[in-house]
């Protein structure tokens, strides 16, 4: 169904409903399974939204979600970078257990096992229509590099999604094309796509060779093929008609998501909408450029908030809001300069993307994985704030229990049923959580133990404290959220106990009992 037809239908429904009571009651029948929408931001920090304390930027639509739902102050991504977080949220397994789950190039093979339950496959068995829209970044194909000019499989569809509209990796990696289910959108067979992450292919200009062609200069990396005036990671030749412009991407994803909601409004659906914002290159639609006063990064936050508002409006217009669970979160913590000169550092203006926490993207410190985490379900969740410890890795087990689905022993080895915490029925979430940066950390109650790990203290290119140290670290997060006072030397018994628990979780191969 097109958006125009949907708008006309909405007007008709409004006219037929009079004051709306009868129509709303039918559409919001809570005896039916609730729809589930997972809104997944990219690189959005805990402090990047105004409901979490941001004062330099206003995010009214995300704030409305929080005001009408449950806002978590201790909600976590499974890792401090994107691919491992996305792997964990869909599989219920900590990504550090599986080799090859680091940040993937754009031509990587699929890393999600096809012989185990995933979040979409489990919900599909529960009677849900399932869709993935947006950023994928979990690999495509079974062996070697995908053939971009043929059917591309396995991919999202084979992991449990009935419908998929996505781009392969990140917006700063080639190929810069949309894929719908198994095929590149708008591909011209006379102009086939070639991709390489090893060497230049074809004769297209690169950012390193022709910086004068750039509309956004790079600061580090991103010196490969120029697409839409922006240098990318990797090299690409061909596919000219299929290439997208950065300014249109978020709008296209939002429209595709709206169309899926409209087409499936009469039966339960699960929508995984993985936004490209606010990942680099931050090149939002022209209507948002210069609006935030914080550079293109701030403008991208405004665009993300707008997209969230569009999804909420669609639910409102179709009478679906009351019985739809909307979960909003981010794949990892924030980063300012992540490879482009986009004003994020120079125009920060006192904005604190991670709030009071240290670290950010790539970091084992709290700013790396403690992210925005909001759940709204007007039919069943009372608005409020929760400090329960919850993680994105828990969604598979939680929704499996919620929908009455059983999991095999091999499925979701690190996913816990925390549905009572997610819906506000309990103030207790997980008892322990493993965080992933370069190394690993264990959170238990207020205490956080960071295992010794070699590496630089600061990631120089992005200027983020990584939390690496060859000595054990122990922090009381209740009194020291910024992780400034290492208490390991003063509490050797606690360090020993938590180190042993972390090692057991590692060696057992699972943490879910």
């Amino acid at each position: 169904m097109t958006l125009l037809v949907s708008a006309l239908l909405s007007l008709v429904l409004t006219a037929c409903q009079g004051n709306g009571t009868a129509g709303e009651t039918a559409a919001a029948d809570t005896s039916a399974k609730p729809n589930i929408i997972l809104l997944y931001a990219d690189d959005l920090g805990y402090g990047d939204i105004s409901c979490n304390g941001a004062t330099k930027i206003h995010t009214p639509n995300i704030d409305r979600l929080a005001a009408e739902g449950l806002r978590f102050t201790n909600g976590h991504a499974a890792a401090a970078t994107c691919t491992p977080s996305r792997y964990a949220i869909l599989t219920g397994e900590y990504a550090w257990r599986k080799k090859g789950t680091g940040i993937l190039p754009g031509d990587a093979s699929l890393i999600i096992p096809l012989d185990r339950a995933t979040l979409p496959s489990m919900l599909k068995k529960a009677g849900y229509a399932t869709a993935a829209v947006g950023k994928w970044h979990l690999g495509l194909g079974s062996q070697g590099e995908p053939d971009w000019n043929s059917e591309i499989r396995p991919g999202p569809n084979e992991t449990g999604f009935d419908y998929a509209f996505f781009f392969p990796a990140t917006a700063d990696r080639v190929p810069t094309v949309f894929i719908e289910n198994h095929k590149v959108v708008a591909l011209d067979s006379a102009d086939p796509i070639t991709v390489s992450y090893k060497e230049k292919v074809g004769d297209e200009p690169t950012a390193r060779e022709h910086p004068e062609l750039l509309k956004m200069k790079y600061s580090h990396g991103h010196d490969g093929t120029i697409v839409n005036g922006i240098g990318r990671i990797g090299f690409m030749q061909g596919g000219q008609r299929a290439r997208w412009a950065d300014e249109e991407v978020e709008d296209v994803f939002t429209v595709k998501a709206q169309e899926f909601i409209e087409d499936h409004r009469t039966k339960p659906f699960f929508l995984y909408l993985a936004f490209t914002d606010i990942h680099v290159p931050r090149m939002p639609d022209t209507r948002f450029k210069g609006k935030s006063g914080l550079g293109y990064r701030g403008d991208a936050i405004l665009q993300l908030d707008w997209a969230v508002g569009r999804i909420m409006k669609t639910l409102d217009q179709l009478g679906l809001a009351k019985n739809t669970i909307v979960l909003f979160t981010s794949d990892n913590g924030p980063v300012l300069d992540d490879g482009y000169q986009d004003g994020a550092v120079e125009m920060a203006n006192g904005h604190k993307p991670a709030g009071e926490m240290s670290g950010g993207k790539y970091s084992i410190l709290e700013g790396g994985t403690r992210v925005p985490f909001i759940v709204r379900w007007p039919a069943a969740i009372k608005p409020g704030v929760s400090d329960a410890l919850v993680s994105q890795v828990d969604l598979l087990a939680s929704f499996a229990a919620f929908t009455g689905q059983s999991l095999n022993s091999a499925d979701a080895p690190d996913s816990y049923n925390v549905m009572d915490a997610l819906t506000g029925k309990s103030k207790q979430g997980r008892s322990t959580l493993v965080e992933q940066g370069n190394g690993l950390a264990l959170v238990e109650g207020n205490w956080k133990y960071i295992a010794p790990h070699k590496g630089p203290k600061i990631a120089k290119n992005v200027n983020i404290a990584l939390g690496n140290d060859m000595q054990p670290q122990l922090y009381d997060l209740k009194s020291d959220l910024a992780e400034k006072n290492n208490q390991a030397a003063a509490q050797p018994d606690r360090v020993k106990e938590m180190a042993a628990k972390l090692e057991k979780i590692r060696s057992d191969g699972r943490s879910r009992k």
Side-chain angles (χ1 to χ4, degrees):
M1 178 183 293
T2 66
L3 294 177
L4 177 58
V5 172
S6 174
L8 292 173
L9 176 62
S10 178
L11 290 174
V12 172
L13 287 173
T14 301
C16 293
Q17 291 170 9
N19 62 12
T21 303
E24 276 187 21
T25 301
D29 179 5
T30 55
S31 64
K33 297 174 184 176
N35 306 306
I36 303 167
I37 298 178
L38 174 54
L39 302 178
Y40 210 33
D42 198 329
D43 294 353
L44 188 75
Y46 182 90
D48 275 327
I49 55 178
S50 40
C51 59
N52 277 355
T55 59
K56 301 295 183 178
I57 195 164
H58 184 44
T59 50
N61 294 302
I62 298 171
D63 290 359
R64 180 190 158 199
L65 266 184
E68 297 175 354
L70 199 57
R71 179 173 64 86
F72 289 84
T73 60
N74 202 7
H76 290 258
T81 49
C82 48
T83 296
S85 287
R86 291 162 198 272
Y87 176 87
I89 203 171
L90 294 183
T91 66
E93 179 180 46
Y94 289 133
W96 49 265
R97 294 196 188 279
K98 179 180 171 64
K99 291 183 179 180
T101 57
I103 302 174
L104 295 181
D107 58 355
S109 299
L110 180 70
I111 61 173
I112 295 181
L114 298 181
D115 59 349
R116 286 193 281 168
T118 64
L119 181 59
S121 71
M122 177 276 296
L123 288 172
K124 189 172 180 178
K125 286 183 178 179
Y128 282 75
T130 59
V133 176
K135 171 181 171 178
W136 181 238
H137 208 189
L138 289 164
L140 296 165
S142 57
Q143 294 181 354
E145 301 172 1
D147 181 356
W148 305 106
N149 307 295
S150 181
E151 283 220 337
I152 303 168
R153 66 172 69 223
N157 301 92
E158 286 67 39
T159 67
F161 290 108
D162 297 316
Y163 174 76
F165 187 97
F166 59 100
F167 60 50
T170 57
D172 59 341
R173 285 172 170 80
V174 296
T176 52
V177 296
F178 294 126
I179 298 173
E180 189 166 26
N181 295 323
H182 299 108
K183 291 196 173 184
V184 172
V185 175
L187 180 64
D188 181 355
S189 60
D191 183 26
I193 295 171
T194 303
V195 169
S196 175
Y197 278 79
K198 298 176 182 177
E199 58 188 5
K200 183 179 178 181
V201 292
D203 56 2
E204 294 197 36
T206 66
R208 173 170 289 190
E209 297 167 337
H210 293 282
E212 75 280 0
L213 299 179
L214 298 173
K215 66 181 182 183
M216 177 182 283
K217 297 185 181 299
Y218 64 93
S219 54
H220 51 87
H222 304 100
D223 58 358
T225 301
I226 298 173
V227 180
N228 188 35
I230 301 172
R232 313 287 165 160
I233 298 173
F235 304 96
M236 177 181 180
Q237 175 75 14
Q240 292 292 338
R241 187 176 71 178
R243 299 184 186 188
W244 39 253
D246 300 78
E247 291 88 342
E248 73 172 344
V249 172
E250 203 71 288
D251 185 66
V252 170
F253 286 155
T254 304
V255 168
K256 288 294 182 181
Q258 288 177 291
E259 290 176 346
F260 176 80
I261 293 170
E262 293 160 355
D263 290 345
H264 296 83
R265 65 190 182 278
T266 61
K267 58 182 180 180
F269 63 80
F270 167 57
L271 169 63
Y272 170 64
L273 175 51
F275 297 110
T276 182
D277 286 331
I278 57 172
H279 194 283
V280 296
R282 301 156 186 145
M283 186 57 65
D285 186 275
T286 303
R287 76 191 110 163
F288 300 106
K289 291 178 181 176
K291 298 297 184 182
S292 69
L294 301 179
Y296 279 178
R297 184 178 186 275
D299 299 342
I301 293 175
L302 296 183
Q303 179 170 263
L304 170 66
D305 183 74
W306 163 85
V308 170
R310 287 276 297 274
I311 299 301
M312 295 168 67
K313 185 175 181 179
T314 300
L315 294 175
D316 289 340
Q317 289 177 334
L318 296 175
L320 300 176
K322 186 175 182 180
N323 203 31
T324 297
I325 299 172
V326 178
L327 195 155
F328 175 84
T329 187
S330 176
D331 65 347
N332 50 248
V335 58
L336 295 181
D337 180 352
D338 206 19
Y340 293 98
Q341 300 177 36
D342 60 4
V345 175
E346 298 82 359
M347 301 179 69
N349 193 29
H351 176 61
K352 297 180 179 180
E356 299 304 317
M357 293 175 284
S358 299
K361 186 177 181 179
Y362 312 110
S363 175
I364 195 63
L365 300 173
E366 281 298 281
T369 66
R370 194 182 296 213
V371 292
F373 205 114
I374 300 166
V375 185
R376 186 190 77 165
W377 182 17
I381 295 178
K382 294 181 180 180
V385 179
S386 174
D387 62 359
L389 178 63
V390 294
S391 171
Q392 295 165 10
V393 76
D394 295 324
L395 296 187
L396 207 170
S398 298
F399 281 109
F402 177 71
T403 57
Q405 304 299 299
S406 60
L407 295 174
N408 295 327
S409 59
D411 295 334
D414 300 299
S415 186
Y416 283 85
N417 175 13
V418 294
M419 202 65 192
D420 282 351
L422 294 177
T423 55
K425 294 179 180 178
S426 172
K427 296 182 179 180
Q428 300 299 317
R430 293 177 145 256
S431 59
T432 62
L433 173 68
V434 178
E435 298 178 356
Q436 177 185 359
N438 283 341
L440 299 179
L442 179 69
V443 175
E444 184 175 36
N446 296 328
W447 292 98
K448 177 175 176 179
Y449 162 74
I450 303 178
H453 193 273
K454 64 181 179 180
K457 302 283 188 182
I458 302 290
K460 292 183 178 179
N461 283 339
V462 296
N463 192 31
I464 289 176
L466 295 174
N468 293 326
D469 200 307
M470 289 306 295
Q471 299 300 316
Q473 299 173 71
L474 181 70
Y475 300 102
D476 181 355
L477 297 178
K478 185 174 183 179
S479 61
D480 182 25
L481 187 57
E483 295 166 281
K484 300 297 185 184
N485 180 25
N486 183 5
Q487 299 189 40
Q491 300 209 41
D493 290 343
R494 189 181 297 274
V495 168
K496 183 178 180 180
E497 179 184 348
M498 294 186 72
K501 288 182 179 180
L502 177 58
E503 181 54 36
K504 188 175 189 306
I505 292 172
R506 279 173 162 169
S507 60
D508 284 352
R510 62 186 302 108
S511 56
R512 180 171 67 88
K513 304 304 181 184

